[in-house]
Amino acid sequence: MPKFYITTPIFYVNDKPHIGHAYTAIAADVLARYHRMSGDETFFLTGTDEHGIKIQEIAEKQGKQPKEFADEISAKFRLAWDTLNISNDGFIRTTDSAHEDAVRKALSEMYKQEWIYKGSYEALYCVGCEQYKTKSELVEGKCPDHKREPEVHAEEAYLFKLSHFAPEILKRIKSDTIKILPVTRKNEVVSFLEQEGLNDIAISRRKEKVAWGIELPFDSNHTCYVWVDAFLNYVTGLGWSGTGSNLSPETLNLKFWPANVQLMSKDILRVHATIWQAILLALGLETSQTLFIHGFFTVDGQKMSKTLGNVVDPIEIAQKYGADVLRYHLLREISFGSDGDFSLKRLEERYESDLANGIGNLVARVLGMTEKYTSGEVPQVTTSALSNIWDVYDAHFAKLEPDQALSAVWAFIGELDKFVDTEAPWVLAKTDRGRLNADLYILLENLRHLGRLVWPFMPATAEKIFAQLGLPDELKVGYDEGKKWGGLKPGTRVTKGDGLFPRLEPA
Ligand code: MSP
């Protein structure tokens, strides 16, 4: 059975999740659900990144211990993912003791093999990014993302021989052994590596500077650089214990490495394409298969920021409109891999046009007619009247284009609407009962397919469709079997329940 391992970045616990984080989680969830549904053995990992100076500073400001603070925010991420129906198999926290133990072991291993050595360094550091910056990355002396002047770090530290791995990483990226998608992002990384190369980086701070971190096992005066700790989540989250490159021993989940898709936005691509891959090479593990860089989006045309007060809370949106509405809107509105914009106005427009008047109306119409003309009983099976939707859908998923798969599903809804309009069952009810029954079967069976098609995107909606079609166990039907014509058996009772997407109350 093919396997599919997908990860999101682990999110900083400096604040509760916003819609940008939710987008990554939802997109990963759609891909994970698709792969699970199509029979792949799937593991979907997400979690929280909890160490480092940024968290230490914020906790201090709030008069809390960093762990106590991290506990609170990490719980908010979990609550948000539950609210959004995210089906992650694992949720890793970098303060989990198994993770911390594994990081210590991995560090010892790298130190033993002399990939880590003691030295000193002088560099500019942005606390907002938790990353070192080159002068060329600054705009008017400040980090362009955090509008804050970087700190000058000049101190003793342990360094990681990143420079050693640069040629191998470049080779693997160029040959797509480490695939970076969309290809424009690959090109950016390649030209960066070709022009600037990689320098060794500090992977520790003295404890008096950063106390909130994993202590280096070979020098208790230092804590580990938060990114090294964080990257390892992708393997410790599968149960990797920190040593050895054999990734299929007793712990079942380790067979999932390497990740098929590591999802993130452009802000953290460079570190994933360089430091993370180098750590994997240093530890003798396989490098990532695909880094997929989805778009970074603004809200109402502006970068989300606390100062602007335009930070969107995904839980509030899910509570007001429903999780499926947010899931649908984000996947449909933002072309996967391109930057985009989020606005409530657009969400409400799509709610009306695509959900209430689109899928909601179609399902209600077909079930209403079935109740009216056949007392809710599914008529005799007709010969197949299914479009090539499944081929199109699978092809888009194979190319990591869930947004295109979703558009194709909405085109399919449009075809079914057209079928109702041209066949006019209300006329056939008076003129041709045979054709009416055949048409109703075609429509009802197509709704079953529609439920399956929307499930990865809108699981709660799909389940409502199956319940209304009298198919509570539909999701237990295997993928290929479910794609065949005729799954809906004659005589099944359907019921037009509540509308899937009631009209929005005027604000
Ligand atoms: N903790 C690090 C990642 C470590 S992974 C080993 C981190 N955390 S973060 O909380 O800042 O999350 C960044 C990620 O959140 C982005 O790469 C992206 O996946 C998501 N997004 C945050 N804001 C976003 C938008 N405005 N738009 C789209 N995605 C956004 O970096």
Side-chain angles (χ1 to χ4, degrees):
M1 188 193 285
K3 66 98 186 159
F4 183 75
Y5 178 32
I6 183 161
T7 65
T8 70
I10 47 170
F11 302 104
Y12 286 130
V13 289
N14 55 321
D15 210 340
K16 65 181 187 181
H18 61 56
I19 196 140
H21 307 124
Y23 178 61
T24 314
I26 291 171
D29 188 55
V30 168
L31 295 170
R33 283 177 184 269
Y34 170 79
H35 281 272
R36 239 182 253 128
M37 165 171 102
S38 59
D40 295 346
E41 204 177 346
T42 300
F43 198 91
F44 167 17
L45 183 70
T46 184
T48 44
D49 188 356
E50 305 188 8
H51 292 123
I53 189 70
K54 176 150 81 175
I55 311 301
Q56 184 181 317
E57 281 180 357
I58 292 175
E60 264 164 29
K61 264 193 212 143
Q62 299 206 3
K64 290 180 178 151
Q65 289 301 316
K67 178 65 168 57
E68 178 194 0
F69 181 71
D71 284 347
E72 282 169 24
I73 305 280
S74 182
K76 290 189 178 164
F77 272 90
R78 248 168 312 173
L79 175 70
W81 293 176
D82 283 349
T83 309
L84 297 175
N85 233 331
I86 304 299
S87 65
N88 51 299
D89 300 286
F91 187 100
I92 179 133
R93 301 183 55 186
T94 52
T95 51
D96 290 342
S97 61
H99 170 84
E100 291 186 345
D101 285 347
V103 171
R104 277 188 286 267
K105 279 199 197 128
L107 288 167
S108 297
E109 188 82 14
M110 289 198 280
Y111 187 59
K112 211 166 72 198
Q113 294 186 23
E114 297 179 4
W115 296 125
I116 292 176
Y117 61 96
K118 194 168 187 177
S120 65
Y121 72 103
E122 196 179 322
L124 300 170
Y125 191 81
C126 171
V127 171
C129 300
E130 294 278 20
Q131 282 180 40
Y132 291 99
K133 297 279 149 181
T134 58
K135 284 221 171 78
S136 64
E137 286 174 286
L138 305 178
V139 177
E140 291 169 3
K142 291 183 177 164
C143 163
D145 286 340
H146 296 93
K147 311 275 181 263
R148 144 175 195 177
E149 271 178 35
E151 295 173 354
V152 180
H153 288 178
E155 43 195 50
E156 72 158 34
Y158 287 85
L159 287 104
F160 173 52
K161 278 190 192 161
L162 183 61
S163 58
H164 171 87
F165 297 99
E168 181 61 24
I169 290 173
L170 178 61
K171 194 171 99 197
R172 289 188 187 209
I173 292 176
K174 276 181 137 173
S175 64
D176 287 337
T177 310
I178 302 168
K179 201 173 191 174
I180 299 178
L181 290 172
V183 75
T184 47
R185 298 288 175 209
K186 166 184 171 179
N187 297 340
E188 281 167 22
V189 173
V190 167
S191 69
F192 163 75
L193 284 172
E194 283 177 344
Q195 282 160 27
E196 301 191 29
L198 293 173
N199 295 322
D200 292 355
I201 53 156
I203 55 103
S204 79
R205 296 290 309 277
R206 286 194 63 86
K207 234 185 191 165
E208 41 311 342
K209 296 278 171 55
V210 184
W212 181 233
I214 298 176
E215 205 173 86
L216 295 189
F218 40 84
D219 189 337
S220 59
N221 292 317
H222 286 251
T223 56
C224 172
Y225 177 38
V226 60
W227 274 96
V228 173
D229 164 5
F231 281 134
L232 288 166
N233 95 84
Y234 297 132
V235 280
T236 62
L238 296 174
W240 185 65
S241 64
T243 49
S245 58
N246 177 6
L247 282 181
S248 49
E250 61 290 342
T251 313
L252 187 71
N253 292 333
L254 294 181
K255 64 170 176 269
F256 285 105
W257 188 257
N260 298 66
V261 179
Q262 300 215 260
L263 204 57
M264 69 201 73
S265 194
K266 59 190 174 191
D267 52 339
I268 55 175
L269 164 61
R270 196 180 281 183
V271 282
H272 275 83
T274 57
I275 306 175
W276 173 221
Q277 305 310 319
I279 291 173
L280 288 165
L281 290 167
L283 289 167
L285 301 178
E286 284 183 61
T287 44
S288 310
Q289 238 167 56
T290 302
L291 306 180
F292 188 95
I293 314 309
H294 67 58
F296 201 82
F297 60 86
T298 47
V299 168
D300 296 322
Q302 284 181 299
K303 194 174 170 191
M304 245 184 300
S305 85
K306 268 193 162 169
T307 349
L308 285 175
N310 65 345
V311 179
V312 179
D313 180 344
I315 297 196
E316 278 174 25
I317 309 253
Q319 280 166 346
K320 179 155 182 215
Y321 302 93
D324 277 2
V325 175
L326 180 61
R327 295 171 63 103
Y328 173 80
H329 178 69
L330 287 177
L331 259 288
R332 193 74 204 273
E333 181 75 5
I334 294 159
S335 124
F336 201 53
S338 310
D339 288 350
D341 184 58
F342 175 86
S343 85
L344 265 187
K345 188 166 161 280
R346 288 289 297 143
L347 179 139
E348 292 199 348
E349 282 167 9
R350 280 202 181 279
Y351 185 99
E352 288 296 334
S353 62
D354 301 8
L355 301 177
N357 295 334
I359 190 170
N361 185 49
L362 173 73
V363 172
R365 233 172 147 194
V366 172
L367 293 175
M369 291 188 296
T370 314
E371 283 190 342
K372 188 159 170 201
Y373 302 130
T374 67
S375 311
E377 199 172 294
V378 175
Q380 284 307 309
V381 182
T382 60
T383 49
S384 175
L386 187 68
S387 67
N388 66 343
I389 178 68
W390 282 108
D391 294 339
V392 175
Y393 182 85
D394 287 336
H396 283 309
F397 270 106
K399 288 189 280 177
L400 286 174
E401 297 168 346
D403 55 330
Q404 304 283 327
L406 191 56
S407 303
V409 173
W410 253 254
F412 174 65
I413 292 174
E415 284 168 33
L416 295 176
D417 272 332
K418 214 156 88 203
F419 182 81
V420 176
D421 293 341
T422 50
E423 287 294 296
W426 47 93
V427 177
L428 295 176
K430 292 180 202 133
T431 57
D432 188 345
R433 281 311 278 203
R435 183 157 174 170
L436 170 72
N437 284 348
D439 285 354
L440 284 179
Y441 186 83
I442 289 170
L443 287 165
L444 290 163
E445 170 66 358
N446 270 300
L447 289 190
R448 184 183 70 82
H449 288 271
L450 178 61
R452 296 180 75 92
L453 291 160
V454 298
W455 182 75
F457 300 93
M458 310 171 85
T461 302
E463 281 167 29
K464 280 188 203 154
I465 295 176
F466 295 141
Q468 297 185 355
L469 285 173
L471 298 171
D473 293 330
E474 180 61 21
L475 286 170
K476 294 190 189 134
V477 178
Y479 191 59
D480 292 331
E481 189 58 30
K483 283 188 196 178
K484 289 185 190 151
W485 185 255
L488 185 60
K489 300 292 172 237
T492 308
R493 289 238 151 245
V494 307
T495 33
K496 180 183 173 219
D498 293 338
L500 298 176
F501 298 99
R503 300 254 167 252
L504 292 175
E505 300 287 331

